[in-house]
Amino acid sequence: MKLSDFSRPALRALAVVALAATMTTTAFAHARPVSSEPVPNTEVAAPGDVTIHFSEPLEPAFTRMSVKDASGKSVAQGAAQVDAHDAKTLHLPLQPLAAGHYAVHWTAVATDGHRTQGDFAFSVK
């Protein structure tokens, strides 16, 4: 069967269905972590910051990250920032870290308005 075998209304209907399927996939995209430094559940030398790379661009006004030590004290040095050159990347500068266990909590809001959140941990040697 060739494209020319379809009537104009049938072709329009196919185009509308294809467009709707594409828009639905895009409209329901959520920002999910793709990778991070440090890698979750690893033991590392003291990092200067925590960076998370997401699958979707982030809305800076509503995206957050925190890092706390084993006693629950924040070890962030300032606020988390969406990278000015890559809206899918979130950075949080850290104070100098001592050996121990650290918990990261993030809340990401994609530019389409969908919110996701999660946690991971890492240890410093």
Side-chain angles (χ1 to χ4, degrees):
M1 198 173 243
K2 299 182 287 186
L3 221 50
S4 60
D5 293 339
F6 290 96
S7 67
R8 284 195 190 272
L11 285 173
R12 283 190 191 121
L14 284 171
V16 168
V17 168
L19 181 61
T22 302
M23 290 176 68
T24 300
T25 302
T26 303
F28 294 112
H30 297 327
R32 303 270 183 223
V34 173
S35 64
S36 70
E37 295 91 35
V39 174
N41 304 314
T42 59
E43 186 175 62
V44 297
D49 70 350
V50 172
T51 299
I52 305 175
H53 304 277
F54 289 88
S55 59
E56 304 296 325
L58 303 171
E59 177 55 56
F62 303 107
T63 298
R64 305 276 183 265
M65 182 180 1
S66 65
V67 179
K68 296 183 178 181
D69 65 16
S71 68
K73 180 183 172 202
S74 174
V75 295
Q77 187 171 335
Q81 298 289 320
V82 174
D83 191 295
H85 303 290
D86 180 4
K88 295 180 181 181
T89 301
L90 182 64
H91 301 282
L92 178 63
L94 302 175
Q95 301 170 4
L97 300 181
H101 185 75
Y102 295 88
V104 178
H105 177 75
W106 56 266
T107 300
V109 177
T111 54
D112 67 0
H114 287 99
R115 180 178 183 262
T116 54
Q117 63 182 4
D119 302 279
F120 68 89
F122 66 92
S123 296
V124 172
K125 300 177 189 179

